[in-house]
Amino acid sequence: MKNLIIILITACIGFSANAQNDVVTKLFNDYYDDENFTKISVSSKMFELFTHIEPGDEDEEEILEAVSKLKGLKVIAADSVGNSKELYTKAVKKISGNGYEELMEVKDAEEDMKFMIREKDGIIDELVMVVGGNKSFFILSLYGEIDLKKISKLSKGMNIKGMEHLKQLDDNKN
Amino acid sequence: MDSKKVKTRLKKYWEGKSNLNEENELKSHFLHAPDGADPDHEYFTYLNKKSTQNPLDDQFDDEILKLIDKNKQSRKLKNNVIKYWYVAASLALVISVSIIFKDKFIKVNKVENVVEMDTYKDPDKAFEETKRALLLLSSKLNQSSVYAAQFSKFEEHQNNLKQN
């Protein structure tokens, strides 16, 4: 009887822990069956395989170094949704109330952007970026040991404007 | 025992002052005394007769033991019933929890599968996509940092203006 009670309590704690950790994953699940959204998932096993890739140039070497401590990546993107701002607000609301800390938020005429992080023992173990444009919507979740300096350094000197990559991601998926 | 001593003992007896020894002596006296010699003779004869009888015979013992056994069995049965109730209540609780969390549980499992499932099987392709995603993230971070820097500069100027 005692064992049963312990199992039940553990199960309940497990459920609540899951509820907290899987908030971003849940968002991914929400759009899983919607064909208007491109879903990309790269697991920790795949990240392990990246260690065998030979870098083609210095930039790639830098990227490989940046991903060496990462454990996963999830992307959900759409470039022609009518309610993108609404999706953005909904996503931000869902994520921010679940142990994520706001890193930065930028709102301009083109798009709203929010970066949220989750820290453990002083190390960022998850970074979530939510972008809501006029018709575009984008969530990127990166997890593992995240070094913000290394990541922000990657695009410096490169001519990348950002949201046009949504199109590239879409094209590659299709 | 002479009649005087008997009288004294009887007096003490009826006053409730006699001890067990004296009472036994009285009983023994009346056991051998001729019938009708004393008004208390009948009473003591009755006491003597009663003490030699065994009121709790073997049948009584059997009945008591049977009752004890029956009681034990009914307690065992009661305990078993309580145990079954506990099990039933626990099962009901498990079923209720399962029903409450069913949707959540199924969803979480589905999500885990989705997350664990790689979109690309080829590591090179997966790396290309990771690279694009990281570069996009990096550019957005830098873009936001520029805004943040501009804003702090604006704030700084505003503070300077206020001070002047």
Side-chain angles (χ1 to χ4, degrees), chain B:
Chain B
M1 213 172 1
D2 58 28
S3 59
K4 200 178 174 187
K5 203 177 176 183
V6 171
K7 263 190 180 176
T8 322
R9 293 278 158 86
L10 276 172
K11 196 184 173 197
K12 260 180 110 180
Y13 180 84
W14 291 117
E15 282 170 355
K17 288 175 183 171
S18 59
N19 58 34
L20 203 64
N21 223 12
E22 289 165 339
E23 283 170 21
N24 284 337
E25 276 178 17
L26 276 173
K27 279 180 195 171
S28 170
H29 167 75
F30 283 107
L31 195 66
H32 306 292
D35 193 12
D38 197 281
D40 294 317
H41 184 271
E42 201 175 333
Y43 172 71
F44 280 98
T45 309
Y46 168 77
L47 286 183
N48 281 329
K49 201 178 169 186
K50 202 76 185 148
S51 65
T52 53
Q53 275 179 354
N54 183 12
L56 306 175
D57 54 2
D58 290 345
Q59 198 188 340
F60 176 82
D61 288 348
D62 285 346
E63 274 173 21
I64 286 291
L65 287 172
K66 266 183 198 169
L67 274 173
I68 290 169
D69 273 352
K70 208 176 168 185
N71 200 23
K72 266 186 191 171
Q73 275 176 353
S74 84
R75 267 191 192 175
K76 215 175 175 180
L77 192 74
K78 206 175 171 186
N79 283 343
N80 280 344
V81 169
I82 290 171
K83 268 183 193 171
Y84 285 128
W85 270 109
Y86 270 126
V87 173
S90 308
L91 276 174
L93 193 64
V94 171
I95 291 165
S96 312
V97 168
S98 310
I99 290 167
I100 293 165
F101 288 101
K102 191 186 83 187
D103 291 341
K104 196 179 227 177
F105 195 60
I106 289 168
K107 228 176 181 181
V108 167
N109 275 343
K110 192 181 170 188
V111 170
E112 276 169 1
N113 291 337
V114 172
V115 172
E116 282 309 307
M117 197 171 63
D118 272 299
T119 312
Y120 301 97
K121 301 284 171 207
D122 180 5
D124 288 325
K125 273 188 181 175
F127 179 64
E128 278 306 309
E129 284 314 319
T130 307
K131 201 164 103 179
R132 283 179 211 278
L134 280 179
L135 288 172
L136 171 63
L137 175 67
S138 177
S139 73
K140 290 287 175 193
L141 266 172
N142 289 329
Q143 194 184 324
S144 306
S145 303
V146 170
Y147 275 117
Q150 280 173 351
F151 183 72
S152 51
K153 259 189 187 175
F154 170 74
E155 221 173 17
E156 202 180 303
H157 285 300
Q158 211 175 26
N159 286 339
N160 285 342
L161 281 170
K162 270 183 193 172
Q163 279 171 2
N164 294 330

Side-chain angles (χ1 to χ4, degrees), chain A residues 11-79:
Chain A
C12 289
I13 293 168
F15 274 129
S16 60
N18 265 338
Q20 193 177 33
N21 295 336
D22 287 327
V23 63
V24 176
T25 316
K26 265 187 196 170
L27 276 169
F28 279 72
N29 186 58
D30 287 347
Y31 304 110
Y32 185 69
D33 296 322
D34 195 330
E35 285 179 0
N36 292 318
F37 293 87
T38 302
K39 282 80 59 177
I40 294 172
S41 173
V42 183
S43 72
S44 56
K45 280 177 191 167
M46 191 57 89
F47 268 86
E48 276 172 30
L49 291 175
F50 291 167
T51 53
H52 303 295
I53 293 173
E54 283 293 320
D57 51 37
E58 269 183 36
D59 290 339
E60 214 165 73
E61 201 177 323
E62 215 173 323
I63 289 168
L64 278 169
E65 202 195 316
V67 300
S68 63
K69 287 184 177 173
L70 298 179
K71 286 185 175 166
L73 170 84
K74 284 176 274 179
V75 176
I76 185 151
D79 60 355

